[in-house]
């Protein structure tokens, strides 16, 4: 185990923050390990990584990690991360959420983050339950499963996190489990490297609440279930793992910076229009930029460029 | 650190309160604005959408007001001056995040252009029903700063002040405007050149940086994420490093500093404008749009030879408690003029403590309070 120590020394707030709040057998520690090894693969500068989390067991993850870390409110981590990333585009922003945090209270922010496609990495630890509050059903609790708030079995249809992310427009969608630690590490690195909104769902175990109520009272049984019921191939009756979506979608930050460029250009042109005496000749890039515009206002601007250009 | 910025020279203009708020935000150095469409605050976000990209700053329309306020806090943590604008229903949705900004001490500005409520109410009618929500809207005991403009030029000046106070005291500041002031157009001459304040940044080595160090005075410096100071931020009770704590000996001093930074600096934070209060038998207490009617009534009463003064609250929270107590000794009584059922009046009654009578002129159906109804109250006092 000696070779593992550098991870602890380099990436964990090992002196200050332990032991963790997680129960024995919890999968979140395995996910935290996967995230750190994934980050280590990419050799990112710790000062340039921000970890944003919501509320719940998963929300407690960043406190142990030696990056810029913020533990926000329930469900809103993606909205905080959106502001942070737009304010500081140089940061690699990784958002850690549980299934309840991301898909119930934060469901609206989740689909809009997928749609907007800002360069964030969302890692959703799905343990099918609200562990922090004692084991109530979540939007991913399977039909018929028991929870403290569904003692007669759950009748709410569950979400498929990855299908939802895909339909909402995420650029990258992948799934793994706590059993597949090596795969997790690789997928974390890929998700972080992807330019655009990347979603990685990690199926994780909550033996203490979900497991006990559903005849899988140990972490080993639950992880064996992940082993036996998932596949990297499309197999009937098995949950698909691996990369499900990897597509090129315009990234929001890039699009915003383009908008800034054209807004400044148009402002320059407006100002030049106001005082023709100080007009400078339009550069070729300005002429090209306005050619692609189609609105009436832009046509007017294009005309102005043309006129000034001839001078 | 205070710096004075030069504002462009301009001749007198005819402009709207909401536009002046947007200009104030720009003058204060706003770098990030997030909002969700809502009447009667839309003109602010529209101005931001027009102006911010050209300045290289960020405008984003979020999926709701909760996300808007969360994004504002995130951006502020990234080092930018950040604000959002909304009205009643959206203000309700923002409350949890406002509390987060209070507890984590992240500067932010929330503009609430109040409309008649509760619920959907009447979006295009003015009211001042959010006064107590601005004070106590988020759960738990907390301090807050709330400013209230009553004219277009005050919309500008108090917006700059809202940013300055937010940055100086590491706190959310609420600019509590109302539909009347927000949509009203007035002739404004050149805006004043105002001092612009930015948050103190740490200068120590990262090893020695504590974002919540109670030994550094009321307001410890705040590092931006990505500036080489890796620290933790949480809405849980936290120690001086920002890590969660359950130790009372760490929680109590933090709480004490959190309150003291506002309550111990009221000389700096509280701003009122007074007219004729020294000689007054009756002091009108008012703010926002209602203060305009109160002022008009005061002048009418003065013409009748009555000794009436006006205490206009530009800072609503904290209240100018000492001044109100003084006036309770010098005047016969107060008439509180406000477009709600008496949200500030209750506090004036508390501060008058029986030494002066307290009456009120209240209206909350979306209509303005008329100067004549205030005059009537003065005559009947």
């Amino acid at each position: 185990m000696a070779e593992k120590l550098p991870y602890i020394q380099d990436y964990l707030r090992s002196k200050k923050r332990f032991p963790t709040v997680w129960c024995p057998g919890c999968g979140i520690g395995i996910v935290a390990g996967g995230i750190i090894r994934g980050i280590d693969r990419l050799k990112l500068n710790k000062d340039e990584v921000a970890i944003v989390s919501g509320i719940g067991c998963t929300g407690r993850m960043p406190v142990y990690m030696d990056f810029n870390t913020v533990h926000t409110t329930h469900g809103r981590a993606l909205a905080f991360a959106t502001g942070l990333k737009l304010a500081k585009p140089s940061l690699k922003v990784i958002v850690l959420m549980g299934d309840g945090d991301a898909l119930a209270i934060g469901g609206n922010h989740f689909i809009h983050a997928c749609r907007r496609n800002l360069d964030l990495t969302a890692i959703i630890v799905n343990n099918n339950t609200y562990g922090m509050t004692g084991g109530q059903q979540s939007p991913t609790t399977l039909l018929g499963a028991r929870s403290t708030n569904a003692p007669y079995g759950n009748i709410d249809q569950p979400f498929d996190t990855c299908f939802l992310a895909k339909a909402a427009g995420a650029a990258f969608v992948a799934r793994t489990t706590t059993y597949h630690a090596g795969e997790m590490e690789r997928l974390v690195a890929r998700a972080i490297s992807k330019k655009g909104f990347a979603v990685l769902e990690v199926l994780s175990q909550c033996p203490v609440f979900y497991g006990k109520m559903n005849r899988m009272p140990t972490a080993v049984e639950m992880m064996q279930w992940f082993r036996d019921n998932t596949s990297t191939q499309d197999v009937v009756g098995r949950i698909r793992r691996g990369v499900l979506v990897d597509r090129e979608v315009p990234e929001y930050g890039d699009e915003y910076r383009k908008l800034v460029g054209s807004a400044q250009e148009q402002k320059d042109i407006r100002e030049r229009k106001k005082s023709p005496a100080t007009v400078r000749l339009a550069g070729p890039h300005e002429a090209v930029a306005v050619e692609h515009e189609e609105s009436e206002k832009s046509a007017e601007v294009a005309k102005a460029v043309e006129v000034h250009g001839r001078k | 650190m205070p710096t004075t910025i030069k504002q462009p020279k301009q001749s007198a203009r005819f402009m709207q309160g909401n536009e002046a708020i947007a200009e104030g935000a720009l003058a204060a150095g706003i770098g990030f604005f997030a909002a969700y469409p809502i009447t009667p605050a839309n003109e602010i976000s529209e101005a931001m959408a027009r102006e911010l990209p050209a300045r290289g700053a960020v405008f984003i329309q979020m999926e709701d007001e909760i996300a808007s306020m969360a994004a504002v806090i995130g951006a502020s943590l990234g080092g930018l001056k950040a604000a959002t604008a909304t009205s009643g229903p959206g203000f309700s949705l923002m409350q949890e995040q406002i509390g987060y900004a209070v507890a984590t001490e992240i500067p932010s500005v929330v503009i609430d252009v109040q409309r008649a409520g509760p619920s959907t109410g009447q979006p295009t009618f003015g009211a001042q029903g959010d006064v107590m929500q601005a004070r106590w809207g988020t759960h738990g005991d907390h301090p807050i700063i709330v400013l209230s403009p009553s004219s277009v030029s005050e919309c500008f000046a108090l917006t700059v002040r809202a940013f300055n106070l937010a940055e100086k005291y590491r706190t959310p500041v609420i600019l509590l405007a109302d539909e009347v002031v927000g949509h009203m157009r007035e002739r404004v001459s050149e805006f004043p050149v105002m001092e612009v304040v930015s948050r103190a940044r740490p200068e120590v080595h990262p090893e020695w940086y504590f974002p919540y160090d109670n030994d550094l005075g009321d307001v410890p410096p705040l590092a931006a994420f990505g500036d080489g100071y890796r620290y933790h931020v949480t809405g849980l009770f936290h120690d001086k490093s920002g890590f969660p704590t359950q130790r009372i000996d760490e929680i109590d001093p933090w709480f004490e500093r959190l309150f003291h930074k506002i309550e111990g600096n009221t000389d700096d934070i509280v701003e009122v404008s007074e007219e004729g209060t020294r000689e007054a038998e009756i002091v009108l207490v008012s703010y926002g749009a209602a203060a305009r009617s109160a002022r008009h009534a005061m002048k009418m009463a003065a013409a009748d030879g009555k000794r009436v003064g006006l205490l206009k609250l530009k800072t609503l929270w904290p209240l100018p408690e000492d001044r109100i107590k003084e006036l309770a000794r010098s005047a016969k009584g107060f008439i509180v003029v406000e477009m709600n059922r008496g949200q500030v009046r209750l506090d004036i009654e508390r501060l008058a403590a029986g030494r002066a009578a307290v009456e009120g002129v209240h209206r909350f159906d979306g209509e303005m309070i008329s100067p004549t109804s205030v005059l009537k109250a003065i005559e009947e006092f």
Side-chain angles (χ1 to χ4, degrees):
Chain A
M1 294 312 274
E3 77 276 16
K4 302 287 183 206
L5 275 175
Y7 292 125
I8 292 173
Q9 280 154 356
D10 291 349
Y11 295 106
L12 296 184
R13 289 165 169 157
S14 50
K15 282 181 191 158
K16 293 170 188 161
R17 290 297 113 200
F18 288 81
T20 71
V21 296
W22 303 311
C23 307
C26 177
I28 296 172
I30 299 173
V31 183
I35 291 168
I36 277 168
R37 285 189 295 273
I39 290 173
D40 185 68
R41 271 182 177 235
L42 301 171
K43 298 287 169 234
L44 300 176
N45 178 346
K46 287 194 286 184
D47 286 332
E48 281 160 20
V49 175
I51 312 260
V52 183
S53 72
I55 295 291
C57 300
T58 301
R60 293 299 186 99
M61 228 195 284
V63 76
Y64 308 109
M65 298 175 165
D66 188 17
F67 302 103
N68 301 283
T69 55
V70 52
H71 174 217
T72 71
T73 51
H74 198 20
R76 321 301 172 199
L78 282 168
F80 279 83
T82 299
L84 179 60
K85 177 70 182 177
L86 286 169
K88 256 280 170 36
S90 60
L91 286 173
K92 280 274 176 202
V93 181
I94 301 165
V95 188
L96 309 179
M97 297 167 287
D99 42 314
D101 197 35
L103 303 175
I105 189 166
N108 195 31
H109 309 306
F110 180 67
I111 55 172
H112 286 277
C114 290
R115 169 179 76 88
R116 201 175 280 125
N117 199 39
L118 182 64
D119 185 20
L120 302 171
T121 306
I123 298 175
I124 299 172
V125 182
N126 178 4
N127 58 9
N128 310 93
T129 193
Y130 288 85
M132 185 67 85
T133 47
Q136 295 81 7
Q137 71 274 23
S138 84
T140 57
T141 301
L142 302 177
L143 280 177
R146 287 173 202 281
S147 83
T148 53
N149 270 359
Y152 309 111
N154 174 40
I155 57 166
D156 292 28
Q157 289 284 347
F159 266 140
D160 181 320
T161 314
C162 292
F163 281 9
L164 182 64
K166 183 183 176 184
F172 179 92
V173 182
R175 184 189 281 127
T176 186
T177 84
T178 49
Y179 180 83
H180 303 90
E183 179 185 85
M184 189 199 306
E185 175 185 331
R186 287 192 298 278
L187 288 175
V188 166
R190 259 189 88 175
I192 294 171
S193 306
K194 177 71 185 181
K195 177 114 185 176
F197 191 68
V199 177
L200 174 62
E201 181 189 27
V202 185
L203 304 183
S204 177
Q205 70 278 14
C206 175
V208 171
F209 295 115
Y210 192 77
K212 269 187 192 155
M213 279 184 283
N214 292 286
R215 294 184 187 152
M216 277 189 287
T218 68
V220 173
E221 283 168 280
M222 296 192 81
M223 290 170 78
Q224 281 169 346
W225 191 92
F226 294 147
R227 180 194 63 195
D228 299 338
N229 290 279
T230 64
S231 170
T232 53
Q233 310 296 320
D234 285 317
V235 179
V236 177
R238 288 195 178 196
I239 299 166
R240 176 82 151 75
R241 293 197 327 273
V243 178
L244 304 170
V245 176
D246 188 355
R247 56 189 167 189
E248 292 311 311
V249 190
E251 194 270 322
Y252 189 85
D254 282 348
E255 294 303 302
Y256 190 80
R257 284 181 284 279
K258 277 189 222 162
L259 183 90
V260 164
S262 78
Q264 283 170 344
E265 211 164 82
Q266 288 183 31
K267 199 182 171 198
D268 285 351
I269 293 166
R270 271 203 306 276
E271 273 159 19
R272 264 179 276 154
K273 236 175 146 182
K274 275 187 215 153
S275 52
T278 59
V279 151
R280 62 178 172 84
L281 293 182
H285 66 285
E286 286 172 327
V288 171
V290 288
E291 262 173 26
H292 296 297
E293 302 286 344
E294 281 169 15
S295 72
E296 216 179 294
K297 206 170 171 186
S298 308
E300 227 181 272
V301 171
K303 218 167 129 192
V305 171
E306 232 177 83
V307 172
H308 295 319
R310 261 187 240 127
K311 279 185 190 170
Chain B
M1 300 298 101
T3 48
T4 302
I5 60 145
K6 234 176 123 182
Q7 269 127 46
K9 259 208 172 313
Q10 58 214 354
S11 49
R13 284 182 294 169
F14 191 58
M15 72 187 303
Q16 199 189 42
N18 280 348
E19 290 166 1
I21 288 171
E23 295 232 356
L26 294 170
I30 188 172
F32 184 94
F33 183 89
Y36 184 81
I38 191 165
T39 303
N42 295 316
E43 294 81 4
I44 301 169
S45 59
E46 285 164 3
M48 289 293 145
R50 205 165 48 237
E51 296 300 327
L52 291 183
R55 293 163 195 250
V58 182
F59 167 85
I60 185 169
Q61 180 174 311
M62 294 299 288
E63 54 271 19
D64 57 28
E65 287 89 347
I66 302 171
S68 302
M69 188 60 202
V72 160
I73 299 168
S76 186
L77 206 48
L80 298 182
K81 293 186 181 181
T84 182
T86 188
S87 188
F91 191 51
S92 294
L93 288 178
M94 286 177 185
Q95 294 303 330
E96 187 192 2
Q97 318 308 317
I98 292 172
Y100 184 86
V102 170
T104 55
E105 300 180 69
I106 298 174
S108 41
V109 173
V110 181
I111 300 152
D112 174 15
V113 187
Q114 297 167 94
R115 66 195 219 183
S119 189
T120 313
Q122 179 42 268
T124 56
F125 287 3
Q128 297 176 321
D130 302 354
V131 171
M132 277 298 173
Q133 189 184 21
R135 178 64 194 90
W136 293 114
T138 196
H139 57 276
D141 275 306
H142 63 278
I144 195 87
I145 299 174
V146 182
L147 311 179
S148 171
S150 70
S151 68
V152 172
S153 62
E154 270 183 18
C155 281
F156 174 87
L158 291 187
T159 304
V160 176
R161 206 167 130 70
F163 278 91
N164 286 351
L165 292 171
E167 293 284 318
K168 186 172 179 182
Y169 293 105
R170 276 184 65 178
T171 181
V173 174
I174 295 160
L175 183 78
L176 201 61
D178 53 65
E179 188 276 337
V180 178
V181 167
H183 278 164
M184 175 178 68
R185 287 185 183 276
E186 271 185 314
R187 186 177 180 275
V188 287
S189 50
E190 218 172 293
F191 286 130
V193 175
M194 292 181 67
E195 185 189 68
V196 168
V197 181
S198 297
R199 69 193 70 171
R201 304 278 184 115
E203 285 162 6
V204 295
H205 187 272
E207 282 284 305
W208 299 102
Y209 176 58
F210 300 107
Y212 302 96
D213 193 343
N214 299 317
D215 297 333
L216 289 181
D218 287 338
V219 191
L222 181 65
F225 271 22
D227 280 357
Y229 294 87
R230 295 190 306 276
Y231 63 99
H232 187 63
V233 178
T234 178
L236 290 163
F237 284 167
H238 40 269
D239 63 17
K240 68 175 183 175
S241 311
F243 293 125
T245 182
Q246 294 181 330
R247 283 174 51 176
I248 300 304
D249 63 334
E250 289 175 335
I251 295 165
D252 285 347
W254 166 72
F255 245 134
E256 199 178 310
R257 180 177 60 74
L258 193 72
F259 279 94
H260 188 266
K261 75 176 178 182
I262 308 296
E263 291 169 358
N265 290 292
T266 50
D267 284 353
D268 182 40
I269 295 166
V270 175
E271 196 185 16
V272 296
S273 92
E274 297 189 35
E275 283 179 74
T277 44
R278 200 188 294 180
E279 314 296 328
E281 281 188 346
I282 299 170
V283 175
L284 304 176
V285 180
S286 193
Y287 50 91
R292 304 172 71 91
S293 304
R295 187 160 182 270
H296 193 138
M298 176 189 72
K299 287 185 170 170
M300 290 195 291
D304 289 348
K306 290 202 160 58
R307 279 157 52 199
V308 179
L310 171 66
L311 175 70
K312 188 172 83 176
L313 310 171
K314 289 170 144 185
T315 307
L316 262 182
W317 304 111
L319 281 171
E321 302 210 348
D322 294 341
R323 185 63 187 136
I324 291 164
K325 283 178 189 166
E326 273 171 27
L327 289 169
R329 282 190 285 270
S330 65
K332 262 168 62 183
F334 297 99
I335 299 175
V336 186
V337 183
E338 51 184 344
M339 288 157 73
N340 55 45
R341 290 245 312 168
Q343 298 190 18
V344 166
R345 180 181 158 185
L346 287 170
D347 261 289
I348 304 297
E349 283 172 5
R350 171 178 66 84
L351 294 162
R355 278 190 290 269
V358 181
E359 295 291 333
V361 180
H362 306 289
R363 182 160 197 176
F364 45 92
D365 56 1
E367 284 291 308
M368 279 282 285
I369 292 171
S370 69
T372 48
S373 62
V374 181
L375 186 64
K376 191 162 164 266
I378 293 168
E379 282 163 353
E380 287 169 2
F381 193 82

